[in-house]
């Protein structure tokens, strides 16, 4: 089955990224925070 993202889900993700970027002083800090979230989700998604 193919996972399809709705417009609402996509908008929510973009809003979350915007909040992350607002709290960062520079690009490296933003990258670290996003990477940490990716790693956390990868650990949870082991089905």
């Amino acid at each position: 089955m193919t996972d399809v993202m709705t417009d609402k889900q996509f908008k929510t993700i973009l809003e979350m990224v915007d909040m992350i970027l607002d709290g960062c002083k520079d690009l490296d800090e933003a990258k670290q925070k996003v990477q940490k979230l990716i790693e956390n989700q990868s650990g949870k998604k082991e089905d």
Side-chain angles (χ1 to χ4, degrees):
M1 184 173 192
T2 304
D3 290 333
V4 177
M5 185 182 313
T6 65
D7 289 342
K8 183 178 179 182
Q9 290 170 321
F10 187 65
K11 182 177 186 267
T12 301
I13 290 169
L14 291 177
E15 288 170 345
M16 292 170 63
V17 170
D18 185 49
M19 286 189 280
I20 292 168
L21 296 178
D22 270 348
C24 296
K25 294 179 284 264
D26 57 27
L27 182 60
D28 287 333
E29 183 180 353
K31 286 181 180 181
Q32 288 173 353
K33 287 184 178 184
V34 171
Q35 189 61 41
K36 187 171 183 177
L37 287 171
I38 290 169
E39 290 170 5
N40 287 343
Q41 287 301 311
S42 294
K44 291 180 185 177
K45 247 190 166 168
E46 300 298 321
D47 290 334

